[in-house]
Every structure is written in C-alpha cells, then in structure tokens.
C-alpha cells in the first residue's frame, strides 16, 4: 500500500499492482515534489493550476496522482501491462474524476504520443531499471512538440545508469537515494 503524501487527497491509500511494478517510495516522491515546487517558486512558474502531467511507465500511478492531488488539472498515464492497468484505473478513480486522467495502453519506447493534445508541465519517466529508453522517448516527445521551455522532465533510474538525451535537453539537478538516481531535465536555453 502507498499513500498520497500531499494535497487534497493526502493520506489516500493507493493499491500497488502485484506484478512488474517498483513504486516510487514516499520519501523519493516527497523529495521530487519538493524540488519541483522549489524550482517553480524560484522561476515564478505555476506547475499545477490548469496544468497537464505525463506519467510514463505509470504502474500504480503514484507520481501522476500525487500531482493531481496537489492541484494538477490532468495526467496522461502510459502503461503497457494489462494486469497493472486495472489497478491504475482504480487508483485514479480514488483520487480524481474520469475527466482528470487518461490511461494509454502502449509501449512507451515506441510511442509518438499522438494521444496528448495539451502542453505538458511535468513529465515523469520511471521505467524498469533493466530498460534505458530515455533518449528515444525524449526524442519522440520533442518531435511531438510536447516539451516546452517551462516543462520539467524527471527521470528515475538506477544510480549507475548513464542517461543519454538529445542535445536540446540539459540536466538541471540530480539526486541520489540509495540505489536510485533522480534526474531533472529541461530544454536548453
């Protein structure tokens, strides 16, 4: 069981799918959202109100649902595992209305993200640690014009993973939590 840690739905319990999921811990989620909110304040940017989030390799949906609980308007969840999607949908309905989310059953590493028709405030990318699809995903998001000047990209990976990304994107912060690396990216100026 996971809990939402902030916002209107704080303490709401989320179910965790039994198979193939490694949910982002409460400690890491708290750190990620703290860094996001600090960055938003520093840059005088609103990351929640009337904003759209993208949660790739969504699993339980804890990252996108945390954003909705904190005020995001909508989250696109991409997940390919059918057994996981039912739990994800149930979690979404605990936190928000059906017009606040879309679950796209698709292989993220091959997606061109045609289902997304709104600019994104934050993108979460948290694949299984055995996968490193980052450069391809970021390239396809750029090609679809979904990464804007103020979009923040967050990648959760294994500590030792080398992340290759297109030259249009730069690292703005990187943190380590045990075996995990959290990388924050944005467009180059």
């Amino acid at each position: 069981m996971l809990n939402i840690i902030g916002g209107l739905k704080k303490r709401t319990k989320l179910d965790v799918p039994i198979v193939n999921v490694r949910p982002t811990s409460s400690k890491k989620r708290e750190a990620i959202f703290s860094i996001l909110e600090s960055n938003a304040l520093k840059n005088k940017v609103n990351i929640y109100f009337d904003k759209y989030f993208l949660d790739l390799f969504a699993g339980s949906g804890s990252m996108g649902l945390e954003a909705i609980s904190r005020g995001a308007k909508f989250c696109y969840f991409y997940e390919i595992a059918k057994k996981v999607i039912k739990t994800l949908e149930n979690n979404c309905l605990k936190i928000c209305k059906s017009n606040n989310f879309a679950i796209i059953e698709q292989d993220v590493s091959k997606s061109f993200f045609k289902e997304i028709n709104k600019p994104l405030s934050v993108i979460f990318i948290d694949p299984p640690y055995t996968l490193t699809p980052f450069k391809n995903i970021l390239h396809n998001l750029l090609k679809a014009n979904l990464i804007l000047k103020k979009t923040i990209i967050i990648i959760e990976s294994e500590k030792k993973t080398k992340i290759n990304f297109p030259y249009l994107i730069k690292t703005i912060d990187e943190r380590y939590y045990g075996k995990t690396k959290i990388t924050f990216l944005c467009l180059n100026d």
Side-chain angles (χ1 to χ4, degrees), residues 87-149:
T87 303
L88 173 59
E89 185 175 15
N90 289 338
N91 284 340
C92 287
L93 293 171
K94 287 180 185 180
I95 303 301
C96 57
K97 296 178 180 157
S98 59
N99 64 345
N100 296 116
F101 70 93
I103 298 172
I104 296 98
E105 184 180 343
Q106 199 172 95
D107 181 348
V108 172
S109 62
K110 297 176 183 169
S111 181
F112 292 102
F113 305 103
K114 295 185 185 304
E115 302 78 13
I116 301 174
N117 56 9
K118 299 286 183 184
L120 300 169
S121 178
V122 178
I123 299 168
F124 300 110
I125 307 173
D126 182 13
Y129 284 173
T130 56
L131 300 178
T132 55
F134 308 113
K135 188 171 185 176
N136 187 49
I137 289 170
L138 292 169
H139 175 76
N140 289 344
L141 287 165
L142 283 166
K143 200 171 179 179
N145 293 315
L146 295 172
I147 300 175
L148 307 175
K149 186 176 180 181

Side-chain angles (χ1 to χ4, degrees), residues 26-176:
S26 296
K27 178 183 173 184
K28 286 185 264 184
R29 274 186 291 128
E30 184 63 46
I32 288 167
F33 280 92
S34 178
I35 292 165
L36 264 179
E37 291 166 5
S38 175
N39 184 58
L41 281 172
K42 184 174 95 178
N43 293 305
K44 297 181 177 122
V45 175
N46 168 29
I47 58 169
Y48 297 124
F49 179 73
D50 210 27
K51 300 296 182 180
Y52 290 74
F53 280 60
L54 174 59
D55 189 346
L56 300 177
F57 304 94
S60 66
S62 65
M63 295 301 289
L65 293 171
E66 188 72 47
I68 289 173
S69 177
R70 292 171 184 246
K73 180 176 186 172
F74 192 92
C75 187
Y76 295 95
F77 295 94
Y78 278 71
E79 178 57 58
I80 195 169
K82 290 183 188 316
K83 291 179 180 178
V84 174
I85 289 173
K86 186 64 183 159
T87 303
L88 173 59
E89 185 175 15
N90 289 338
N91 284 340
C92 287
L93 293 171
K94 287 180 185 180
I95 303 301
C96 57
K97 296 178 180 157
S98 59
N99 64 345
N100 296 116
F101 70 93
I103 298 172
I104 296 98
E105 184 180 343
Q106 199 172 95
D107 181 348
V108 172
S109 62
K110 297 176 183 169
S111 181
F112 292 102
F113 305 103
K114 295 185 185 304
E115 302 78 13
I116 301 174
N117 56 9
K118 299 286 183 184
L120 300 169
S121 178
V122 178
I123 299 168
F124 300 110
I125 307 173
D126 182 13
Y129 284 173
T130 56
L131 300 178
T132 55
F134 308 113
K135 188 171 185 176
N136 187 49
I137 289 170
L138 292 169
H139 175 76
N140 289 344
L141 287 165
L142 283 166
K143 200 171 179 179
N145 293 315
L146 295 172
I147 300 175
L148 307 175
K149 186 176 180 181
K150 294 181 181 179
T151 302
I152 300 294
I153 304 148
I154 301 159
I155 294 176
E156 182 174 336
S157 63
E158 196 170 31
K159 191 178 198 174
K160 62 185 178 186
T161 300
K162 169 90 170 92
I163 299 174
N164 295 311
F165 43 85
Y167 72 94
L168 292 172
I169 294 176
K170 67 180 180 181
T171 301
I172 55 174
D173 200 345
E174 199 166 72
R175 305 288 174 101
Y176 297 92

